[in-house]
Amino acid sequence: GVEKPHTLFQMVKATLPKDKPNNSIIAFHDNSSSIRGYQVQALTPSRLDTAGKMEVLSKVLHPILTAETHNFPSAVAPFPGAETGTGGRLRDVMATGRGAYAVAGVCAYCVGNLNVPGYDLPWEDKGFVYPSNLASPLEIEIEASNGASDYGNKFGEPVIHGFTRSFGMRLPSGERFE
């Protein structure tokens, strides 16, 4: 390889120079970022030190965005691997400071060909064999989705959006590309 003058992380952080105004409140801190929010009416506890009534207050809320990739844990054990991914993302939201709220989750899965039994697709190569210590793409799709939702639901955070992609092909060289 060739040594480069900047790391990938330095190049990504350079997109938000500190000397220029932008909408970033928190950037690249503990796996979370926060963008400038706006004034909203929020249902808020009247006291933080003891039980009390709830009241509607006008306050500025800044959305927190965070991501957690759990590719390897989800390939080895999809349900608990995705659970820990959701837990890590929730932890990162809370790590941004007092007043951070987990509101909703988004999950995404990119895997190889699914090879769904009884649903043959002509472009899926049935010859792809996976190591015995890794889950198949179909197992990852089902079990990781269940794991991420399970952990979020127990915490009170629903998964409200997501996507999935499956792709696999054999290159002319014989190499698999998934």
Side-chain angles (χ1 to χ4, degrees), residues 10-57:
Q10 287 170 331
M11 289 189 287
V12 170
K13 287 176 76 170
T15 63
L16 287 172
K18 293 186 185 223
D19 60 337
K20 296 202 169 71
N22 58 55
N23 282 334
S24 180
I25 302 296
I26 300 169
F28 311 110
H29 180 76
D30 261 348
N31 296 335
S32 290
S33 295
S34 180
I35 57 175
R36 191 168 311 285
Y38 42 88
Q39 197 80 23
V40 297
Q41 298 294 309
L43 188 61
T44 309
S46 61
R47 300 199 45 174
L48 298 176
D49 60 338
T50 186
K53 65 179 185 171
M54 300 292 283
E55 55 192 9
V56 176
L57 296 177

CSV table of all heavy atoms in Angstrom, one decimal, residues 10-57:
chain,number,residue,atom,x,y,z
A,10,GLN,N,-9.9,11.5,9.2
A,10,GLN,CA,-9.5,12.9,9.1
A,10,GLN,C,-10.2,13.5,7.8
A,10,GLN,O,-10.6,14.7,7.9
A,10,GLN,CB,-8.0,13.0,9.0
A,10,GLN,CG,-7.3,12.8,10.3
A,10,GLN,CD,-5.8,12.7,10.1
A,10,GLN,OE1,-5.3,12.3,9.1
A,10,GLN,NE2,-5.1,13.0,11.2
A,11,MET,N,-10.3,12.8,6.8
A,11,MET,CA,-10.9,13.3,5.5
A,11,MET,C,-12.4,13.5,5.7
A,11,MET,O,-12.9,14.5,5.3
A,11,MET,CB,-10.6,12.4,4.4
A,11,MET,CG,-9.2,12.4,3.9
A,11,MET,SD,-8.9,11.5,2.4
A,11,MET,CE,-9.1,9.8,2.9
A,12,VAL,N,-13.0,12.6,6.4
A,12,VAL,CA,-14.5,12.7,6.7
A,12,VAL,C,-14.7,13.9,7.6
A,12,VAL,O,-15.6,14.8,7.3
A,12,VAL,CB,-15.1,11.4,7.3
A,12,VAL,CG1,-16.5,11.7,7.8
A,12,VAL,CG2,-15.0,10.3,6.3
A,13,LYS,N,-13.9,14.1,8.7
A,13,LYS,CA,-14.1,15.2,9.6
A,13,LYS,C,-13.8,16.6,8.9
A,13,LYS,O,-14.4,17.6,9.3
A,13,LYS,CB,-13.2,15.0,10.8
A,13,LYS,CG,-13.7,14.0,11.8
A,13,LYS,CD,-12.7,13.7,12.9
A,13,LYS,CE,-12.8,14.8,13.9
A,13,LYS,NZ,-12.1,14.6,15.1
A,14,ALA,N,-13.0,16.6,7.9
A,14,ALA,CA,-12.6,17.8,7.2
A,14,ALA,C,-13.8,18.4,6.4
A,14,ALA,O,-13.8,19.6,6.1
A,14,ALA,CB,-11.5,17.6,6.2
A,15,THR,N,-14.9,17.6,6.3
A,15,THR,CA,-16.1,18.1,5.6
A,15,THR,C,-16.8,19.1,6.5
A,15,THR,O,-17.7,19.8,6.0
A,15,THR,CB,-17.0,17.0,5.2
A,15,THR,OG1,-17.5,16.3,6.3
A,15,THR,CG2,-16.3,16.0,4.2
A,16,LEU,N,-16.5,19.2,7.8
A,16,LEU,CA,-17.2,20.1,8.7
A,16,LEU,C,-16.1,20.9,9.4
A,16,LEU,O,-15.8,20.8,10.6
A,16,LEU,CB,-18.0,19.3,9.8
A,16,LEU,CG,-19.3,18.7,9.3
A,16,LEU,CD1,-19.9,17.9,10.4
A,16,LEU,CD2,-20.3,19.8,8.9
A,17,PRO,N,-15.5,21.9,8.7
A,17,PRO,CA,-14.4,22.7,9.3
A,17,PRO,C,-15.0,23.5,10.4
A,17,PRO,O,-16.0,24.1,10.3
A,17,PRO,CB,-13.9,23.5,8.2
A,17,PRO,CG,-14.9,23.5,7.1
A,17,PRO,CD,-15.7,22.2,7.3
A,18,LYS,N,-14.2,23.6,11.5
A,18,LYS,CA,-14.7,24.3,12.7
A,18,LYS,C,-14.7,25.8,12.5
A,18,LYS,O,-15.4,26.5,13.2
A,18,LYS,CB,-13.8,24.0,13.9
A,18,LYS,CG,-13.9,22.5,14.3
A,18,LYS,CD,-13.1,22.2,15.6
A,18,LYS,CE,-13.2,20.8,15.8
A,18,LYS,NZ,-13.5,20.3,17.1
A,19,ASP,N,-14.0,26.3,11.5
A,19,ASP,CA,-13.9,27.8,11.3
A,19,ASP,C,-15.0,28.3,10.4
A,19,ASP,O,-15.1,29.5,10.1
A,19,ASP,CB,-12.6,28.2,10.8
A,19,ASP,CG,-12.2,27.5,9.5
A,19,ASP,OD1,-12.8,26.5,9.2
A,19,ASP,OD2,-11.4,28.1,8.7
A,20,LYS,N,-15.9,27.4,9.9
A,20,LYS,CA,-17.0,27.8,9.0
A,20,LYS,C,-18.3,27.4,9.6
A,20,LYS,O,-18.5,26.3,10.2
A,20,LYS,CB,-16.9,27.1,7.7
A,20,LYS,CG,-15.6,27.5,7.0
A,20,LYS,CD,-15.7,27.2,5.5
A,20,LYS,CE,-14.6,27.8,4.7
A,20,LYS,NZ,-13.3,27.3,4.9
A,21,PRO,N,-19.3,28.3,9.6
A,21,PRO,CA,-20.6,28.0,10.2
A,21,PRO,C,-21.3,26.8,9.4
A,21,PRO,O,-21.2,26.7,8.2
A,21,PRO,CB,-21.5,29.3,9.9
A,21,PRO,CG,-20.6,30.3,9.3
A,21,PRO,CD,-19.3,29.6,9.0
A,22,ASN,N,-22.0,26.0,10.2
A,22,ASN,CA,-22.7,24.9,9.6
A,22,ASN,C,-23.9,24.5,10.6
A,22,ASN,O,-24.0,25.1,11.7
A,22,ASN,CB,-21.8,23.7,9.3
A,22,ASN,CG,-21.1,23.2,10.6
A,22,ASN,OD1,-21.7,22.9,11.6
A,22,ASN,ND2,-19.8,23.2,10.5
A,23,ASN,N,-24.6,23.5,10.3
A,23,ASN,CA,-25.7,23.1,11.1
A,23,ASN,C,-25.3,22.0,12.2
A,23,ASN,O,-26.2,21.4,12.8
A,23,ASN,CB,-26.9,22.5,10.3
A,23,ASN,CG,-27.6,23.7,9.6
A,23,ASN,OD1,-27.7,24.8,10.2
A,23,ASN,ND2,-28.2,23.4,8.5
A,24,SER,N,-24.1,21.8,12.3
A,24,SER,CA,-23.6,20.7,13.2
A,24,SER,C,-23.5,21.2,14.7
A,24,SER,O,-22.8,22.2,14.9
A,24,SER,CB,-22.3,20.1,12.8
A,24,SER,OG,-21.9,19.1,13.6
A,25,ILE,N,-24.2,20.6,15.6
A,25,ILE,CA,-24.0,20.9,17.0
A,25,ILE,C,-23.0,20.0,17.6
A,25,ILE,O,-22.1,20.5,18.4
A,25,ILE,CB,-25.4,20.7,17.8
A,25,ILE,CG1,-26.5,21.6,17.2
A,25,ILE,CG2,-25.2,21.0,19.3
A,25,ILE,CD1,-26.2,23.1,17.3
A,26,ILE,N,-23.0,18.7,17.4
A,26,ILE,CA,-22.0,17.7,17.8
A,26,ILE,C,-21.7,16.9,16.6
A,26,ILE,O,-22.6,16.5,15.8
A,26,ILE,CB,-22.6,16.8,18.9
A,26,ILE,CG1,-23.1,17.5,20.1
A,26,ILE,CG2,-21.6,15.7,19.2
A,26,ILE,CD1,-23.9,16.6,21.0
A,27,ALA,N,-20.4,16.8,16.3
A,27,ALA,CA,-20.0,16.0,15.1
A,27,ALA,C,-18.9,15.0,15.5
A,27,ALA,O,-17.9,15.4,16.2
A,27,ALA,CB,-19.5,16.9,14.0
A,28,PHE,N,-19.1,13.8,15.1
A,28,PHE,CA,-18.1,12.7,15.3
A,28,PHE,C,-17.6,12.6,16.8
A,28,PHE,O,-16.5,12.5,17.1
A,28,PHE,CB,-16.8,13.0,14.4
A,28,PHE,CG,-17.2,13.4,13.0
A,28,PHE,CD1,-17.0,14.6,12.5
A,28,PHE,CD2,-17.7,12.4,12.2
A,28,PHE,CE1,-17.4,14.9,11.2
A,28,PHE,CE2,-18.1,12.7,10.9
A,28,PHE,CZ,-17.9,13.9,10.4
A,29,HIS,N,-18.6,12.6,17.7
A,29,HIS,CA,-18.3,12.5,19.1
A,29,HIS,C,-19.0,11.2,19.6
A,29,HIS,O,-20.3,11.2,19.6
A,29,HIS,CB,-18.8,13.7,19.9
A,29,HIS,CG,-18.5,13.6,21.3
A,29,HIS,ND1,-17.2,13.8,21.8
A,29,HIS,CD2,-19.3,13.4,22.4
A,29,HIS,CE1,-17.3,13.7,23.2
A,29,HIS,NE2,-18.6,13.4,23.5
A,30,ASP,N,-18.3,10.3,20.1
A,30,ASP,CA,-18.9,9.0,20.7
A,30,ASP,C,-19.9,8.4,19.7
A,30,ASP,O,-21.0,8.0,20.1
A,30,ASP,CB,-19.6,9.3,22.0
A,30,ASP,CG,-18.7,9.0,23.2
A,30,ASP,OD1,-17.7,8.3,23.0
A,30,ASP,OD2,-19.1,9.4,24.3
A,31,ASN,N,-19.5,8.3,18.5
A,31,ASN,CA,-20.3,7.7,17.4
A,31,ASN,C,-21.7,8.4,17.2
A,31,ASN,O,-22.6,7.8,16.6
A,31,ASN,CB,-20.6,6.2,17.7
A,31,ASN,CG,-19.4,5.4,17.8
A,31,ASN,OD1,-18.4,5.8,17.1
A,31,ASN,ND2,-19.4,4.3,18.5
A,32,SER,N,-21.8,9.6,17.6
A,32,SER,CA,-23.1,10.3,17.4
A,32,SER,C,-22.8,11.7,16.8
A,32,SER,O,-21.7,12.3,17.0
A,32,SER,CB,-23.8,10.5,18.7
A,32,SER,OG,-24.3,9.3,19.2
A,33,SER,N,-23.8,12.3,16.2
A,33,SER,CA,-23.8,13.6,15.7
A,33,SER,C,-25.2,14.2,16.0
A,33,SER,O,-26.2,13.6,16.1
A,33,SER,CB,-23.5,13.7,14.2
A,33,SER,OG,-22.3,13.2,13.9
A,34,SER,N,-25.2,15.6,16.1
A,34,SER,CA,-26.4,16.3,16.4
A,34,SER,C,-26.4,17.5,15.4
A,34,SER,O,-25.5,18.2,15.3
A,34,SER,CB,-26.5,16.7,17.8
A,34,SER,OG,-27.7,17.4,18.0
A,35,ILE,N,-27.6,17.6,14.7
A,35,ILE,CA,-27.7,18.8,13.8
A,35,ILE,C,-28.6,19.8,14.5
A,35,ILE,O,-29.4,19.5,15.4
A,35,ILE,CB,-28.3,18.4,12.5
A,35,ILE,CG1,-29.7,17.7,12.6
A,35,ILE,CG2,-27.3,17.5,11.7
A,35,ILE,CD1,-30.4,17.3,11.3
A,36,ARG,N,-28.5,21.1,14.1
A,36,ARG,CA,-29.2,22.2,14.7
A,36,ARG,C,-30.7,21.9,14.5
A,36,ARG,O,-31.2,21.6,13.4
A,36,ARG,CB,-28.8,23.5,14.0
A,36,ARG,CG,-29.3,24.7,14.7
A,36,ARG,CD,-28.7,26.0,14.2
A,36,ARG,NE,-27.2,25.9,14.1
A,36,ARG,CZ,-26.4,26.0,15.1
A,36,ARG,NH1,-26.9,26.1,16.3
A,36,ARG,NH2,-25.1,25.9,14.9
A,37,GLY,N,-31.4,22.0,15.6
A,37,GLY,CA,-32.8,21.7,15.6
A,37,GLY,C,-33.7,23.0,15.6
A,37,GLY,O,-33.2,24.0,15.0
A,38,TYR,N,-34.8,23.0,16.2
A,38,TYR,CA,-35.7,24.1,16.2
A,38,TYR,C,-36.6,24.1,17.4
A,38,TYR,O,-36.7,23.1,18.2
A,38,TYR,CB,-36.6,24.0,14.9
A,38,TYR,CG,-37.0,22.6,14.6
A,38,TYR,CD1,-38.2,22.1,15.1
A,38,TYR,CD2,-36.3,21.8,13.8
A,38,TYR,CE1,-38.6,20.9,14.8
A,38,TYR,CE2,-36.7,20.5,13.5
A,38,TYR,CZ,-37.8,20.0,14.0
A,38,TYR,OH,-38.2,18.8,13.7
A,39,GLN,N,-37.4,25.1,17.6
A,39,GLN,CA,-38.3,25.3,18.7
A,39,GLN,C,-39.5,24.4,18.5
A,39,GLN,O,-40.1,24.4,17.5
A,39,GLN,CB,-38.7,26.8,18.8
A,39,GLN,CG,-39.3,27.2,20.1
A,39,GLN,CD,-38.2,27.5,21.1
A,39,GLN,OE1,-37.1,27.7,20.8
A,39,GLN,NE2,-38.6,27.4,22.4
A,40,VAL,N,-39.8,23.6,19.6
A,40,VAL,CA,-40.9,22.7,19.5
A,40,VAL,C,-41.6,22.7,20.9
A,40,VAL,O,-41.1,23.1,21.9
A,40,VAL,CB,-40.5,21.2,19.2
A,40,VAL,CG1,-39.9,21.1,17.8
A,40,VAL,CG2,-39.6,20.6,20.2
A,41,GLN,N,-42.9,22.2,20.8
A,41,GLN,CA,-43.6,22.0,22.1
A,41,GLN,C,-43.3,20.6,22.5
A,41,GLN,O,-43.5,19.7,21.7
A,41,GLN,CB,-45.1,22.2,21.8
A,41,GLN,CG,-45.5,23.6,21.4
A,41,GLN,CD,-45.3,24.6,22.5
A,41,GLN,OE1,-45.7,24.4,23.6
A,41,GLN,NE2,-44.6,25.7,22.2
A,42,ALA,N,-42.8,20.4,23.7
A,42,ALA,CA,-42.4,19.1,24.2
A,42,ALA,C,-43.0,18.8,25.5
A,42,ALA,O,-43.1,19.6,26.4
A,42,ALA,CB,-40.9,19.0,24.3
A,43,LEU,N,-43.5,17.5,25.6
A,43,LEU,CA,-44.0,17.0,26.9
A,43,LEU,C,-42.8,16.7,27.8
A,43,LEU,O,-42.0,15.8,27.4
A,43,LEU,CB,-44.9,15.8,26.7
A,43,LEU,CG,-45.7,15.3,27.9
A,43,LEU,CD1,-46.7,16.4,28.4
A,43,LEU,CD2,-46.5,14.0,27.5
A,44,THR,N,-42.7,17.4,28.9
A,44,THR,CA,-41.5,17.3,29.7
A,44,THR,C,-41.9,17.1,31.2
A,44,THR,O,-42.8,17.7,31.7
A,44,THR,CB,-40.7,18.6,29.6
A,44,THR,OG1,-40.5,18.9,28.2
A,44,THR,CG2,-39.4,18.6,30.3
A,45,PRO,N,-41.1,16.3,31.9
A,45,PRO,CA,-41.3,16.1,33.4
A,45,PRO,C,-41.1,17.5,34.1
A,45,PRO,O,-40.2,18.2,33.8
A,45,PRO,CB,-40.3,15.1,33.8
A,45,PRO,CG,-39.7,14.5,32.6
A,45,PRO,CD,-40.0,15.5,31.5
A,46,SER,N,-42.0,17.8,35.0
A,46,SER,CA,-41.9,19.0,35.8
A,46,SER,C,-40.7,19.0,36.7
A,46,SER,O,-40.1,20.0,37.1
A,46,SER,CB,-43.1,19.4,36.5
A,46,SER,OG,-43.4,18.3,37.4
A,47,ARG,N,-40.3,17.8,37.2
A,47,ARG,CA,-39.2,17.6,38.1
A,47,ARG,C,-38.3,16.4,37.6
A,47,ARG,O,-38.8,15.5,37.1
A,47,ARG,CB,-39.7,17.3,39.5
A,47,ARG,CG,-40.5,18.4,40.0
A,47,ARG,CD,-40.7,18.4,41.5
A,47,ARG,NE,-39.4,18.2,42.2
A,47,ARG,CZ,-39.3,18.2,43.5
A,47,ARG,NH1,-40.3,18.5,44.2
A,47,ARG,NH2,-38.1,18.0,44.1
A,48,LEU,N,-37.0,16.6,37.8
A,48,LEU,CA,-36.1,15.5,37.4
A,48,LEU,C,-35.6,14.7,38.6
A,48,LEU,O,-35.0,13.6,38.4
A,48,LEU,CB,-34.9,16.1,36.6
A,48,LEU,CG,-35.3,16.8,35.3
A,48,LEU,CD1,-34.0,17.4,34.7
A,48,LEU,CD2,-36.0,15.9,34.3
A,49,ASP,N,-35.8,15.2,39.8
A,49,ASP,CA,-35.3,14.5,41.0
A,49,ASP,C,-36.3,13.6,41.7
A,49,ASP,O,-35.9,12.9,42.6
A,49,ASP,CB,-34.7,15.6,41.9
A,49,ASP,CG,-35.8,16.5,42.4
A,49,ASP,OD1,-36.8,16.7,41.7
A,49,ASP,OD2,-35.6,17.2,43.5
A,50,THR,N,-37.5,13.7,41.3
A,50,THR,CA,-38.6,12.9,41.9
A,50,THR,C,-39.8,12.8,41.0
A,50,THR,O,-39.8,13.5,40.0
A,50,THR,CB,-39.0,13.5,43.3
A,50,THR,OG1,-39.9,12.6,43.9
A,50,THR,CG2,-39.6,14.9,43.1
A,51,ALA,N,-40.7,12.0,41.4
A,51,ALA,CA,-41.9,11.9,40.5
A,51,ALA,C,-42.7,13.2,40.5
A,51,ALA,O,-42.7,14.0,41.5
A,51,ALA,CB,-42.9,10.8,41.1
A,52,GLY,N,-43.3,13.5,39.4
A,52,GLY,CA,-44.0,14.8,39.3
A,52,GLY,C,-44.9,14.7,38.1
A,52,GLY,O,-44.9,13.8,37.3
A,53,LYS,N,-45.6,15.8,37.9
A,53,LYS,CA,-46.5,15.9,36.7
A,53,LYS,C,-45.7,16.2,35.4
A,53,LYS,O,-44.5,16.7,35.5
A,53,LYS,CB,-47.6,16.9,36.9
A,53,LYS,CG,-47.0,18.3,37.0
A,53,LYS,CD,-48.2,19.3,37.2
A,53,LYS,CE,-47.5,20.7,37.2
A,53,LYS,NZ,-48.5,21.8,37.2
A,54,MET,N,-46.3,16.0,34.3
A,54,MET,CA,-45.7,16.3,33.0
A,54,MET,C,-46.3,17.7,32.6
A,54,MET,O,-47.5,18.0,32.9
A,54,MET,CB,-46.1,15.2,32.0
A,54,MET,CG,-45.5,13.9,32.3
A,54,MET,SD,-43.7,13.8,32.3
A,54,MET,CE,-43.5,13.7,30.5
A,55,GLU,N,-45.5,18.4,31.9
A,55,GLU,CA,-46.0,19.7,31.4
A,55,GLU,C,-45.5,20.0,30.0
A,55,GLU,O,-44.4,19.4,29.6
A,55,GLU,CB,-45.6,20.8,32.3
A,55,GLU,CG,-44.2,20.9,32.6
A,55,GLU,CD,-43.8,21.9,33.8
A,55,GLU,OE1,-44.7,22.3,34.5
A,55,GLU,OE2,-42.6,22.1,34.0
A,56,VAL,N,-46.2,20.8,29.2
A,56,VAL,CA,-45.8,21.1,27.9
A,56,VAL,C,-44.9,22.4,28.0
A,56,VAL,O,-45.3,23.4,28.5
A,56,VAL,CB,-47.0,21.3,27.0
A,56,VAL,CG1,-46.5,21.8,25.6
A,56,VAL,CG2,-47.8,20.1,26.9
A,57,LEU,N,-43.7,22.2,27.5
A,57,LEU,CA,-42.8,23.4,27.4
A,57,LEU,C,-42.3,23.6,26.0
A,57,LEU,O,-42.2,22.7,25.2
A,57,LEU,CB,-41.6,23.1,28.3
A,57,LEU,CG,-41.8,22.9,29.8
A,57,LEU,CD1,-40.5,22.6,30.5
A,57,LEU,CD2,-42.4,24.2,30.4
